[in-house]
Amino acid sequence: MSIAAIVITFNRLELLKKTIAGLRAQTQSIDEIIVVNNGSTDGTVEWLAENGDIFVVTQENVGSSGGQYTAFKTAYDRGHEWIWAMDDDVVPRPDCLEHLVANIAANKVVAPLRYSLDGTPFINDTIEFNLTNPFSNIWKRLLKKEDLVSDIIPATGLTFEGPMFHRSLIEKIGLPEKKFFIFADDSEYMIRAKKAGFSSYIISKANLDRMLDAPDLNKEFSWKNYYIIRNIIAIDVLHGSFLVRWLRPYAYLISWLRKASNKSDRQTVIKAFKDGYFYKSDN
């Protein structure tokens, strides 16, 4: 069994060092650590060059989605059977991989239970997506504290913070949507995985610590909102029912136009709507 741990990084050298230390400390051996460096300028290139046990791919900053695309492809092309994916702002606890490996199967995606900075479980995974009802949003049910009593929790919407899967997943559904840049690339990928017959689970005893607080993307308008709006609409267009494809994008358009406070923001919303509505997948 060959396992590759893949990490995406961009200008977070001090956090990256902690992620790599966490990987090196695993009780279950990792055959190769692969780091995709999205054009970092903070000394990451030099530090990675000093670490001979890391296979490095350096590219321009194509966002976390483009980084995951490259990392998935690199691990697959290098012949690894199992792939363990994460960003540079998480640290797996020493027995995290051991617990994941104890629950793997070729038709399953397994992921750790994540913990916040305050030491409490990070309740942000999607248990089930809504791809049929146009009058409700895409997140049908999120993980709740009462779900944590189970050792194995079915969850369709795993994030790219620690999922482990067999290379056959890539063979069947392809690679992440690199054009997403940021936001919801993991949701879109897991929807594809479910449609292809893969089941997905959170393993409660496999734990991973987040090193940053989750940003409140709805707090104020920023350049990230373009990708949030476009990508959610693109998921509806790619995977939603007939009514979801034709109705819900307009609901998102109206909702975000109400949040936009100036002409520039409104133009961003309209562009995101158009680009999402006519999005074409590379897969």
Side-chain angles (χ1 to χ4, degrees):
M1 179 172 66
S2 175
I3 301 173
I6 58 176
V7 183
I8 317 305
T9 190
F10 175 66
N11 282 346
R12 288 177 174 170
L13 177 56
E14 295 309 313
L15 297 184
L16 175 64
K17 290 178 180 179
K18 295 178 181 179
T19 301
I20 298 301
L23 292 175
R24 288 170 172 161
Q26 291 300 299
T27 55
Q28 167 72 46
S29 62
I30 298 171
D31 294 277
E32 186 171 45
I33 298 173
I34 298 171
V35 172
V36 173
N37 172 28
N38 267 347
S40 298
T41 57
D42 62 346
T44 294
V45 173
E46 293 77 10
W47 184 80
L48 288 171
E50 297 171 357
N51 289 266
D53 62 331
I54 302 175
F55 184 83
V56 180
V57 179
T58 298
Q59 61 185 17
E60 64 179 351
N61 183 17
V62 288
S64 59
S65 306
Q68 295 291 354
Y69 175 95
T70 299
F72 279 42
K73 186 177 187 301
T74 301
Y76 181 86
D77 289 346
R78 290 178 66 78
H80 292 290
E81 184 181 5
W82 296 93
I83 300 169
W84 189 23
M86 64 194 70
D87 291 321
D88 58 2
D89 58 354
V90 296
V91 179
R93 296 181 186 177
D95 60 354
C96 182
L97 182 57
E98 181 180 340
H99 286 296
L100 292 179
V101 168
N103 290 277
I104 56 174
N107 63 342
K108 290 167 57 176
V109 182
V110 294
L113 176 63
R114 298 171 294 158
Y115 280 78
S116 301
L117 287 173
D118 62 5
T120 60
F122 185 64
I123 311 296
N124 196 44
D125 289 297
T126 302
I127 298 297
E128 186 177 1
F129 289 108
N130 164 34
L131 297 170
T132 57
N133 179 4
F135 304 109
S136 182
N137 69 36
I138 190 172
W139 291 280
K140 186 173 183 178
R141 189 167 92 79
L142 298 177
L143 182 68
K144 298 179 181 179
K145 289 184 179 180
E146 48 264 38
D147 294 318
L148 303 182
V149 298
S150 301
D151 290 338
I152 302 175
I153 307 166
T156 301
L158 304 178
T159 70
F160 285 158
E161 291 187 351
M164 184 178 185
F165 54 89
H166 191 263
R167 63 184 284 113
S168 59
L169 179 63
I170 295 175
E171 292 168 355
K172 289 188 177 181
I173 71 172
L175 298 164
E177 286 287 338
K178 60 182 176 181
K179 292 187 296 186
F180 269 31
F181 195 77
I182 59 167
F183 193 76
D185 52 329
D186 39 20
S187 296
E188 192 279 331
Y189 199 72
M190 292 308 302
I191 290 170
R192 270 192 277 155
K194 182 177 181 180
K195 290 169 71 174
F198 287 79
S199 54
S200 50
Y201 304 90
I202 296 170
I203 309 303
S204 296
K205 292 182 179 179
N207 300 145
L208 176 150
D209 293 307
R210 306 182 85 251
M211 292 186 281
L212 297 175
D213 286 322
D216 185 354
L217 299 176
N218 293 311
K219 188 174 182 180
E220 60 182 28
F221 218 92
S222 74
W223 63 270
K224 295 181 180 180
N225 288 93
Y226 166 80
Y227 296 102
I228 295 170
I229 301 165
R230 185 201 64 175
N231 295 353
I232 290 298
I233 291 174
I235 290 175
D236 277 355
V237 171
L238 293 172
H239 302 293
S241 66
F242 176 83
L243 288 177
V244 164
R245 292 198 307 271
W246 288 101
L247 293 179
R248 195 158 64 188
Y250 289 96
Y252 287 132
L253 173 64
I254 294 169
S255 174
W256 279 101
L257 282 174
R258 288 174 175 171
K259 295 178 183 179
S261 60
N262 55 60
K263 181 179 179 181
S264 176
D265 290 349
R266 288 190 290 273
Q267 289 174 335
T268 296
V269 171
I270 293 171
K271 176 174 172 50
F273 168 79
K274 290 179 179 178
D275 291 349
Y277 202 77
F278 296 103
Y279 185 88
K280 300 297 182 183
S281 173
D282 290 332
N283 288 287

